[in-house]
Amino acid sequence: MTSKVKWLADNEKSVLVNNFEKRGWIRGTSEEEDWNFFWTSVQTTRCIFNLDSGYRLSDDQLINHFPNHYELTRKDLLVKNIKRYRKELEKENNPLTEKDENCRYMHLDFIPVTYILPADYNIFVEEFRKNPTSTWIMKPNAKARGIGIFLINKLSQLKKWSRDSRQMGHNPKDTYVISKYIDNPHLIGGKKYDLRLYVLVTSYRPLKAYIYQLGFCRFCTVKYNSAVSELDNMFVHLTNVSIQKHGDDYNDKHGGKWTVHNLQMYLEHTHGKEVTDRVFDEINWIIVHSLKAVQGVMASDKHCFECYGYDVIIDENMKTWLIEVNASPSLTSTTAADRIMKYTLVDDVLKIICPNGEIPDPRWNKVPPKDSMGHFDLLIDEELAAQDQHENKSRSVSGRLPRTSHNSSGNRIFI
């Protein structure tokens, strides 16, 4: 008789529990006892992999975070790793590092100009003085849901913030990133929006990742206005639902969201299919190279997988920008459609991670048959690329322009 999978979860959201129960899994009783599948918080993951804990995962256990996921999901480390990745490719004279006449990367320019404070303060000041009319956005490194974010367009504002922070007793060791604000976002109905896309990584070495078809767009509730007088109006500038739901114009029926599919149809109607396909190809490109940027430093533990929440913005020139990557994208539902989507997301993750709902085997290579991938599309599989290398030497294995195909949504994938 097949043993039942024992599960644990730090956050027992219904979209998790219902998926576990649907498979006939049984609830574990504590972290110390036997369990096979643990949907943990990042804090619990840190404890499990802490060397002092002496805890070792067995061959029938899986958890939903990599030990040092923060290399991708902490705002400062994401920026550091992407900058390092670019420099490493430059040393190799890789064609991906080609630059234009303004010395900007032509293929790897997908994060706004960003500095880490307080370490880069002097460099930031120098850059600010080159463009004194520009707007910058300040974000705490280790917070989410729009907490602690604000915009500045004067150095005096930054100095005032620093002074006020000291007076309020904030930890001087807290670090922030400050990025050139994308002040020309693509607007729909006059409102700013961003995309939340889900990316499942089952291995970093070799890199294997899947992108979810059912992502969504989050809209601001107030029409966009870049005027200085509106810099403090977060209902204009931040798309986070945790902020927008407090606005007077928030619609709790649709939650200020569109599906990615609806966005694709809208863009095809307003900009044409060729432009729309290019936009989504660029998004796939951004995701792949952000993962490659951390591949060398990520602990690719066979007991781990991770479903990341990627936040991307499209500007008025239809250029795509990576804003941040979330380690624990919210499973809280704001609408009925939202709940269905997140339930389906978890269901499809489990189909890939625990085929047939059986006790997980981390030794399995985690490449499911296509009909078992649910709404996920293969984004990159370096193992498959390596197998194909002998057939065509021009195909990519890490570091050269990749061989591309197209997923079931018609967008380019990298294998």
Side-chain angles (χ1 to χ4, degrees):
M1 181 178 177
T2 304
S3 298
K4 296 280 190 181
V5 173
K6 294 180 181 178
W7 64 269
L8 290 175
D10 283 334
N11 190 344
E12 295 190 11
K13 296 290 185 184
S14 61
V15 295
L16 289 173
V17 176
N18 291 348
N19 267 298
F20 300 155
E21 293 179 344
K22 163 187 171 180
R23 289 165 167 77
W25 294 3
I26 57 177
R27 187 193 302 263
T29 54
S30 74
E31 295 173 28
E32 289 74 26
E33 294 187 18
D34 290 340
W35 55 267
N36 307 113
F37 187 93
F38 199 166
W39 196 283
T40 73
S41 65
V42 293
Q43 292 81 6
T44 298
T45 299
R46 193 177 304 124
C47 293
I48 288 175
F49 287 105
N50 189 318
L51 294 176
D52 296 333
S53 72
Y55 196 96
R56 293 189 65 180
L57 296 177
S58 65
D59 281 342
D60 61 353
Q61 291 182 313
L62 286 180
I63 68 170
N64 65 316
H65 293 293
F66 287 92
N68 57 336
H69 62 84
Y70 45 79
E71 296 286 353
L72 179 68
T73 58
R74 257 188 71 117
K75 299 176 184 70
D76 56 341
L77 295 181
L78 173 64
V79 171
K80 284 181 179 178
N81 284 316
I82 289 175
K83 289 180 177 179
R84 176 185 47 75
Y85 175 63
R86 289 167 172 168
K87 289 179 181 177
E88 288 174 352
L89 292 181
E90 280 185 296
K91 289 179 182 177
E92 300 169 4
N93 294 316
N94 193 296
L96 290 178
T97 59
E98 182 182 359
K99 295 181 180 179
D100 62 17
E101 63 275 9
N102 296 316
C103 212
R104 290 181 178 174
Y105 290 100
M106 296 177 66
H107 308 293
L108 297 174
D109 179 33
F110 56 79
I111 56 171
V113 175
T114 300
Y115 299 98
I116 299 165
L117 299 181
D120 295 339
Y121 178 76
N122 290 336
I123 305 173
F124 162 71
V125 170
E126 185 178 336
E127 178 66 25
F128 183 92
R129 286 173 175 161
K130 291 178 186 175
N131 301 281
T133 60
S134 57
T135 299
W136 296 75
I137 185 166
M138 187 92 160
K139 300 179 181 181
N141 280 316
K143 289 187 171 61
R145 304 188 304 277
I147 296 171
I149 296 177
F150 60 96
L151 277 64
I152 68 164
N153 64 345
K154 296 178 182 178
L155 282 177
S156 59
Q157 295 167 316
L158 189 57
K159 292 175 180 176
K160 181 180 184 302
W161 164 82
S162 178
R163 186 169 58 250
D164 291 347
S165 295
R166 287 196 299 270
Q167 291 175 354
M168 293 173 65
H170 289 176
N171 189 341
K173 293 183 179 179
D174 286 348
T175 55
Y176 284 69
V177 292
I178 188 163
S179 303
K180 183 77 71 73
Y181 184 58
I182 300 169
D183 57 6
N184 62 333
H186 181 256
L187 306 177
I188 296 179
K191 296 177 181 179
K192 179 181 174 180
Y193 68 94
D194 71 356
L195 287 78
R196 163 58 60 85
L197 302 165
Y198 297 101
V199 176
L200 174 64
V201 177
T202 58
S203 169
Y204 273 97
R205 289 187 295 279
L207 182 58
K208 298 181 183 183
Y210 307 80
I211 188 166
Y212 204 52
Q213 300 167 14
L214 307 182
F216 56 88
C217 305
R218 305 176 297 186
F219 284 82
C220 289
T221 54
V222 177
K223 288 190 174 183
Y224 183 74
N225 187 338
S226 60
V228 173
S229 60
E230 294 290 347
L231 281 188
D232 293 332
N233 189 344
M234 294 300 104
F235 297 122
V236 170
H237 296 288
L238 298 187
T239 61
N240 307 71
V241 175
S242 56
I243 290 174
Q244 294 298 329
K245 68 182 181 181
H246 298 295
D248 294 338
D249 298 317
Y250 179 72
N251 185 316
D252 57 8
K253 291 181 180 175
H254 57 64
K257 293 178 180 178
W258 272 13
T259 65
V260 166
H261 178 65
N262 284 345
L263 175 66
Q264 286 178 304
M265 290 194 298
Y266 176 84
L267 294 180
E268 285 184 11
H269 178 73
T270 55
H271 291 77
K273 190 173 189 310
E274 183 178 347
V275 171
T276 303
D277 287 347
R278 178 179 58 77
V279 165
F280 282 91
D281 280 351
E282 285 182 1
I283 290 173
N284 288 349
W285 177 268
I286 285 172
I287 294 169
V288 166
H289 285 283
S290 66
L291 294 173
K292 283 179 173 287
V294 301
Q295 184 179 23
V297 296
M298 192 70 73
S300 188
D301 193 296
K302 66 181 181 179
H303 302 93
C304 305
F305 69 94
E306 196 136 19
C307 186
Y308 299 105
Y310 270 73
D311 293 343
V312 174
I313 280 182
I314 305 170
D315 70 21
E316 65 182 4
N317 300 313
M318 306 309 289
K319 177 174 172 53
T320 53
W321 298 94
L322 175 60
I323 302 304
E324 61 184 58
V325 184
N326 297 272
S328 297
S330 173
L331 294 178
T332 300
S333 305
T334 54
T335 65
D338 203 35
R339 186 186 184 284
I340 293 170
M341 185 277 292
K342 289 176 179 177
Y343 173 86
T344 306
L345 169 67
V346 174
D347 187 31
D348 289 341
V349 167
L350 296 180
K351 286 177 183 176
I352 293 176
I353 299 303
C354 296
N356 304 315
E358 297 173 354
I359 288 179
D361 181 0
R363 295 167 295 184
W364 180 58
N365 66 7
K366 300 175 185 172
V367 181
K370 192 170 183 179
D371 58 2
S372 298
M373 288 167 56
H375 296 87
F376 276 103
D377 285 322
L378 178 64
L379 183 62
I380 182 169
D381 186 334
E382 287 186 334
E383 189 171 44
L384 181 58
Q387 292 171 0
D388 287 349
Q389 187 181 22
H390 70 279
E391 297 176 7
N392 186 343
K393 291 184 179 180
S394 66
R395 292 175 181 173
S396 166
V397 183
S398 169
R400 292 198 297 271
L401 290 173
R403 177 170 77 93
T404 63
S405 183
H406 288 79
N407 58 29
S408 60
S409 301
N411 298 317
R412 185 174 55 168
I413 60 174
F414 308 87
I415 56 175

